[in-house]
Amino acid sequence: MKLFFHKMLSATLATLVLFTTMSFTIDMHYCGDHLVDFSLFDKVKTCGMEKQIPTKDCGNELTEKSCCSELQIVMEGQDDLKFSYDTLNLEQQVFVATFFYSYINLFEGLDENIIPFKDYNPPYLIRDIQKLHETYLI
């Protein structure tokens, strides 16, 4: 269960990072109040009821307003995810140096098996105290 939860959380966070850094545009074409076409990457197809171009003879006539409209939603991604490590202030440099120094020193001397009570003999037991008081570890 823990492994499944870990994998689902990792996939969710990867998807979140992908969608926050990716830019995309959504185009929609409406004819009146009805959605005619929806496109994520290409240009939308029109319904063919756009505004008519007036002829040269009667160019001074007013044309009616078209019932079609287009809506474009632009989602800009983030570009400021890169952090420059050469601009650390003095406090951050001291923290990083002490962290690495203490982390490296954790693993020194682990190859030796040190037993601090190797030179001492165990105490001599006169009576078995657990059996005397009838207390046993289970």
Side-chain angles (χ1 to χ4, degrees):
M1 183 68 181
K2 183 179 178 182
L3 183 63
F4 174 74
F5 179 70
H6 187 268
K7 286 183 180 182
M8 288 301 296
L9 184 64
S10 299
T12 303
L13 290 177
T15 306
L16 178 71
V17 168
L18 176 71
F19 281 116
T20 56
T21 57
M22 186 176 76
S23 300
F24 58 93
T25 303
I26 299 172
D27 292 323
M28 293 178 275
H29 180 79
Y30 287 96
C31 189
D33 291 334
H34 300 288
L35 179 64
V36 175
D37 193 19
F38 171 83
S39 177
L40 188 62
F41 297 110
D42 295 331
K43 291 187 177 185
V44 293
K45 296 178 183 175
T46 61
C47 60
M49 299 184 71
E50 291 81 25
K51 192 184 292 186
Q52 298 278 337
I53 299 174
T55 60
K56 292 181 182 178
D57 296 338
C58 51
N60 56 2
E61 294 179 11
L62 296 174
T63 58
E64 295 180 12
K65 186 176 177 181
S66 175
C67 66
C68 297
S69 64
E70 291 189 7
L71 178 65
Q72 185 177 30
I73 301 172
V74 178
M75 299 296 291
E76 292 291 330
Q78 295 179 359
D79 292 333
D80 57 348
L81 294 178
K82 294 181 181 176
F83 181 72
S84 176
Y85 290 107
D86 59 346
T87 59
L88 295 176
N89 60 15
L90 181 63
E91 292 176 358
Q92 292 171 339
Q93 289 176 0
V94 168
F95 173 75
V96 169
T98 55
F99 177 75
F100 282 124
Y101 178 74
S102 63
Y103 186 74
I104 289 171
N105 285 338
L106 284 176
F107 300 107
E108 288 183 3
L110 290 180
D111 294 336
E112 302 172 10
N113 191 5
I114 300 172
I115 302 172
F117 51 86
K118 179 174 66 172
D119 297 331
Y120 298 106
N121 293 328
Y124 181 69
L125 295 177
I126 299 172
R127 297 181 192 143
D128 192 4
I129 296 174
Q130 289 181 348
K131 194 173 184 182
L132 182 66
H133 296 288
E134 294 184 7
T135 56
Y136 302 103
L137 296 176
I138 296 176

